Amino acid sequence: MSRSERLLDLIQILRRHRRPVSGHTLADEMGVSIRTLYRDIATLQGQGAPIEGEAGLGYVLKPGFMLPPLMFTDEEIEAIVLGSRWVAKQPDKRLATAATDALAKIAAVLPDDLREDLDATTLLVGPRSESAEAIDLGVVRQAIRDEHKLGFLYRDAGGSASERLVWPFALSFFDKVRVMVAWCEMRQDFRHFRADRMSGLTATAIRYPRRRQVMLKEWRATLGAPGQNGATETSG
């Protein structure tokens, strides 16, 4: 959980209590140390949240407090809309729906003038490209989040097929193709796999032995290194 999410959760917990609640009770409910709780209370107070009380006496949020509306510059709104519209055009249906829903949620909490700017932006996304992908990219994204191995059948550019078991840690979105970046157990190296050449995708519950952030960092280091197959192949 990010710090901003934790602060929002703290606000919601305080809203549930009409009488002062002790710091230790709040810390236990949040799953944080009492020192972290005191820092979070001070942060919220510094940002204008009307939290009354002090250590040893308890805390209470005065009634009527509302989080300030989201504020964006014109270019920030354009970036949000353009990005959401682009994702909504992608063949990953679950991600496309999530982009549309997220944009609607943002619009619901914007002030009226900014909501009008959001609806009236003239940055458009072209028609969705035809995709020959037969796999569910949502399964790939879930495996990346869970750090679980994936199995599938892969056909290279020449049509040769091979069964792969990989450790997926990134997914790249291009206009006409999606590419999964993974450590391939068969090749014992980083490989790029085009989603339109994958079939028979099998999600496993096997956690791979390394953290995806570490592999992402190591893979990026290979991109500028000559002779690194993992950085140049999309044929697997």
Side-chain angles (χ1 to χ4, degrees):
M1 177 186 295
S2 67
R3 187 162 187 264
S4 59
E5 291 175 322
R6 192 175 73 238
L7 293 176
L8 288 173
D9 283 351
L10 179 54
I11 288 289
Q12 292 302 111
I13 291 172
L14 285 169
R15 279 176 170 159
R16 294 201 301 265
H17 295 276
R18 297 191 176 185
R19 295 183 179 180
V21 56
S22 73
H24 286 286
T25 299
L26 290 171
D28 288 341
E29 190 166 350
M30 294 284 297
V32 299
S33 68
I34 189 66
R35 180 177 297 181
T36 297
L37 185 280
Y38 288 153
R39 283 202 304 263
D40 288 348
I41 289 285
T43 297
L44 289 172
Q45 289 173 329
Q47 293 177 353
I51 300 173
E52 296 181 343
E54 60 186 64
L57 298 178
Y59 298 93
V60 63
L61 179 67
K62 293 178 64 176
F65 173 69
M66 295 291 291
L67 292 174
L70 294 176
M71 301 298 291
F72 297 102
T73 65
D74 290 341
E75 289 189 340
E76 287 172 342
I77 287 178
E78 289 180 340
I80 291 169
V81 174
L82 184 62
S84 298
R85 287 177 176 174
W86 187 84
V87 173
K89 294 278 188 178
Q90 297 304 302
D92 188 331
K93 294 181 180 179
R94 280 186 279 180
L95 200 61
T97 299
T100 302
D101 290 345
L103 191 58
K105 289 179 179 178
I106 291 172
V109 297
L110 285 175
D112 292 340
D113 57 336
L114 291 183
R115 190 180 304 117
E116 291 176 2
D117 290 343
L118 185 122
D119 293 335
T121 181
T122 55
L123 299 183
L124 307 177
V125 176
R128 177 185 300 175
S129 61
E130 294 298 323
S131 172
E133 294 165 0
I135 63 168
D136 183 354
L137 291 177
V139 174
V140 177
R141 291 187 287 104
Q142 187 64 52
I144 291 172
R145 287 194 295 267
D146 294 340
E147 298 182 339
H148 283 177
K149 297 182 181 182
L150 276 178
F152 55 90
L153 183 70
Y154 193 71
R155 295 188 180 276
D156 63 20
S160 299
S162 58
E163 292 186 359
R164 303 298 181 99
L165 187 65
V166 304
W167 310 352
F169 59 87
L171 186 62
S172 297
F173 287 78
F174 299 91
D175 285 340
K176 294 183 179 181
V177 68
R178 268 51 59 188
V179 177
M180 179 182 67
V181 189
W183 176 268
C184 178
E185 292 192 353
M186 185 177 80
R187 300 297 191 194
Q188 286 296 295
D189 199 358
F190 294 117
R191 285 293 187 270
H192 301 160
F193 298 96
R194 287 179 48 150
D196 58 347
R197 295 177 183 169
M198 297 166 61
S199 61
L201 189 65
T202 302
T204 78
I206 306 172
R207 190 180 183 93
Y208 50 73
R210 305 185 65 196
R211 299 309 305 269
R212 64 175 182 271
Q213 294 92 337
V214 173
M215 291 195 295
L216 182 63
K217 182 178 180 180
E218 292 178 352
W219 167 74
R220 283 174 171 162
T222 71
L223 296 182
Q228 293 292 327
N229 290 336
T232 58
E233 285 190 357
T234 54
S235 60

